[in-house]
Amino acid sequence: MQIPGHIDPVTTGTVPLRGGNRIDLIGLTRDAIGGVLVEAGLDAKAAKLRAKQIWHWMYHRGVTDFEAMTDIAKAMRPWLTDRFIIGRPTVREAQVSSDGTRKWLLAAADGQEYEMVFIPDADRGTLCVSSQVGCTLNCRFCHTGTMRLVRNLAAGEIVGQVMLARDELGEWPKGTMAGFGPDPEDDEDDEGGNYTADGRILTNIVMMGMGEPLYNFDEVKGALKIVMDGDGLALSRRRITLSTSGVVPMMARAGEEIGVNLAVSLHAVSKEIRDEIVPLNRKYGIDELLKACADYPGAGNSRRITFEYVMLKDKNDSDDDARELVRLIREYGLHAKVNLIPFNPWPGAMYECSSPERVRAFSNLIFKAGISAPVRTPRGRDIMAACGQLKSAATKPSRAELDRIAEEKQAALG
Ligand code: SAH
Ligand code: SF4
């Protein structure tokens, strides 16, 4: 879609199909699944019933094989297998950090690569999901921003990350399906086991992997609608956070149409510094951005906006910066919390992380003003899985190369 006042960053393009001529059902809405079944020859009523059954098997049970869909007539299963697939991204590499964080390098059907990260904690398990291969933006402290090749991920590739994570974590429910009896058209009932709604490992999703999710609005929305669907993954919108670097024209729609928590990558409180480190600021400035935060649908005490703030030594980490941050939050009447992220280094980065004392002092100043400002513990740094370290081709470009990429992206921003 065209973003007002902005050249359309990238399109999804035509992604070659994983299953040859077969249609991949991952990422389609329930109605769209019904639609492809009708196109394949089923009548509308049968298609609707089958779509409901297939949806439940796909998203509630994690099944990828039509033969395992035991409430669908046996004769129908090969017919489905011939025409459709339920795909997953290909795992190119899987790594585990010493702190338990896991990172997967994934490949799409066209060979494009992107990463996803799982961060286990005592009380939750958070999946960090990518929305694009690379990023058209070029925040100066972010490794992903140095990637030249960019394409949007399709809804199926976004929701596919969640499906794959649940496969890898082994947390699909097993056994018979609650509320789904045997197929009335089938004479055999080959169900077995008991369904138990066991405790979840993957409890939260953050759209904080590679890419700018609001530059890929439609696909991200489609994917998150599936993730939130009650008869499937059924994750509450309160457990999902979308992070944006500040694509102001799309923020209201994100609130209205997706309705998840919003995190905003603020990172600086003056035009001069934000222009430098988050170049999108030259297009949508701090004032516009904070107004959009104040207007974010549902923004109130119950749904606080999170400001992400990367701690860069001698760049944005002074006491004055902290005071200005508090002043801005008050001026715009925001119910916000601030997440302080110690800068995570990557090869060729030109910043350093603020000292732990500086980070603490910065955090204390904000806390004293009554605004929560926890310091995020870096996770998975040893496998380059921490915030801003994701990049699918592990090369170390020269400074000149990095500057060239930055210039190209800046020129594209207009
Ligand atoms: N593109 C979106 C979401 C992905 S990045 C966005 O920018 O908001 C998730 C968070 O990590 C963002 O706040 C981003 O600015 C931050 N980040 C990027 N590079 C980082 C680095 N090297 N160290 C710490 N945080 C970083
Ligand atoms: Fe893109 Fe976010 Fe990285 Fe900026 S911080 S370059 S918007 S992924």
Side-chain angles (χ1 to χ4, degrees):
M1 72 175 294
Q2 190 77 28
I3 295 173
H6 197 286
I7 52 142
D8 206 11
V10 274
T11 55
T12 303
T14 320
V15 181
L17 291 174
R18 194 170 285 279
N21 294 328
R22 295 178 295 169
I23 296 172
D24 192 345
L25 299 181
I26 286 279
L28 301 186
T29 62
R30 220 187 255 95
D31 285 350
I33 295 176
V36 294
L37 292 173
V38 167
E39 270 170 39
L42 293 191
D43 68 54
K45 194 162 161 255
K48 197 167 177 210
L49 169 70
R50 296 305 177 201
K52 187 169 188 272
Q53 290 170 311
I54 292 171
W55 178 279
H56 190 87
W57 281 110
M58 281 168 71
Y59 292 115
H60 190 72
R61 298 285 294 270
V63 162
T64 53
D65 179 0
F66 294 103
E67 281 303 328
M69 300 187 179
T70 47
D71 61 344
I72 292 180
K74 266 206 162 143
M76 169 134 237
R77 297 178 210 161
W79 183 87
L80 288 167
T81 307
D82 286 345
R83 289 163 180 78
F84 306 104
I85 62 157
I86 299 168
R88 292 286 193 268
T90 305
V91 178
R92 280 270 156 84
E93 201 181 340
Q95 286 174 282
V96 184
S97 156
S98 55
D99 69 16
T101 300
R102 300 171 67 169
K103 182 171 90 168
W104 291 266
L105 172 64
L106 306 174
D110 62 356
Q112 292 281 2
E113 294 179 333
Y114 50 103
E115 296 187 310
M116 86 176 175
V117 176
F118 179 71
I119 307 136
D121 275 304
D123 59 340
R124 63 172 67 184
T126 306
L127 188 71
C128 181
V129 171
S130 291
S131 56
Q132 299 182 308
V133 173
C135 185
T136 49
L137 297 171
N138 185 241
C139 303
R140 299 295 270 172
F141 46 82
C142 175
H143 206 196
T144 308
T146 68
M147 286 177 67
R148 178 165 283 168
L149 246 181
V150 181
R151 92 157 158 79
N152 279 339
L153 290 173
E157 294 168 326
I158 298 168
V159 80
Q161 295 172 61
V162 183
M163 305 297 282
L164 184 78
R166 293 201 84 193
D167 293 349
E168 299 270 306
L169 297 168
E171 73 161 338
W172 293 109
K174 307 262 184 319
T176 56
M177 292 165 67
F180 275 73
D183 191 335
E185 292 171 22
D186 204 356
D187 50 5
E188 278 184 75
D189 174 16
D190 46 6
E191 273 289 344
N194 287 306
Y195 170 78
T196 53
D198 41 9
R200 285 193 180 211
I201 307 170
L202 195 172
T203 59
N204 291 60
I205 289 179
V206 292
M207 296 301 305
M208 295 188 186
M210 294 164 68
E212 167 48 59
L214 294 189
Y215 271 173
N216 187 15
F217 185 84
D218 292 339
E219 303 297 317
V220 166
K221 174 181 162 184
L224 291 181
K225 290 274 177 210
I226 292 173
V227 169
M228 293 186 280
D229 189 285
D231 182 30
L233 295 160
L235 217 70
S236 153
R237 64 187 172 82
R238 288 179 189 80
R239 292 190 169 273
I240 303 173
T241 302
L242 184 150
S243 174
T244 180
S245 55
V247 184
V248 169
M250 301 306 290
M251 284 168 57
R253 282 191 64 195
E256 279 153 19
E257 297 176 32
I258 312 177
V260 295
N261 301 316
L262 186 70
V264 172
S265 295
L266 190 61
H267 303 315
V269 289
S270 71
K271 174 167 169 50
E272 190 200 345
I273 304 295
R274 197 164 191 270
D275 274 358
E276 177 193 329
I277 65 177
V278 184
L280 185 64
N281 195 64
R282 300 177 207 171
K283 190 146 195 94
Y284 309 118
I286 294 176
D287 177 52
E288 262 180 277
L289 177 59
L290 296 181
K291 274 197 196 118
C293 290
D295 293 343
Y296 187 69
N301 255 334
S302 59
R303 270 176 80 198
R304 282 185 303 176
I305 285 181
T306 302
F307 287 113
E308 293 157 286
Y309 199 97
V310 63
M311 297 300 295
L312 304 173
K313 186 176 176 189
D314 299 332
K315 190 47 79 182
N316 63 355
D317 63 350
S318 71
D319 285 354
D320 281 348
D321 289 320
R323 287 190 203 102
E324 177 61 6
L325 181 53
V326 169
R327 193 194 66 75
L328 285 171
I329 289 174
R330 286 187 178 147
E331 182 188 334
Y332 287 86
L334 298 168
H335 296 281
K337 90 175 231 199
V338 179
N339 241 336
L340 298 176
I341 317 175
F343 169 67
N344 293 306
W346 40 270
M350 52 184 174
Y351 297 106
E352 271 180 71
C353 185
S354 313
S355 71
E357 298 72 43
R358 185 89 292 274
V359 177
R360 214 168 309 124
F362 196 96
S363 166
N364 285 344
L365 270 172
I366 302 171
F367 264 116
K368 275 196 199 119
I371 299 164
S372 166
V375 180
R376 203 186 283 174
T377 312
R379 298 291 303 270
R381 270 187 179 175
D382 55 344
I383 55 166
M384 292 287 286
C387 299
Q389 292 185 314
L390 302 187
K391 180 177 177 180
S392 36
T395 50
K396 185 182 171 185
S398 65
R399 180 80 263 144
E401 175 74 356
L402 288 172
D403 288 344
R404 220 169 16 248
I405 293 171
E407 266 167 37
E408 276 173 24
K409 290 191 175 183
Q410 195 53 47
L413 262 180

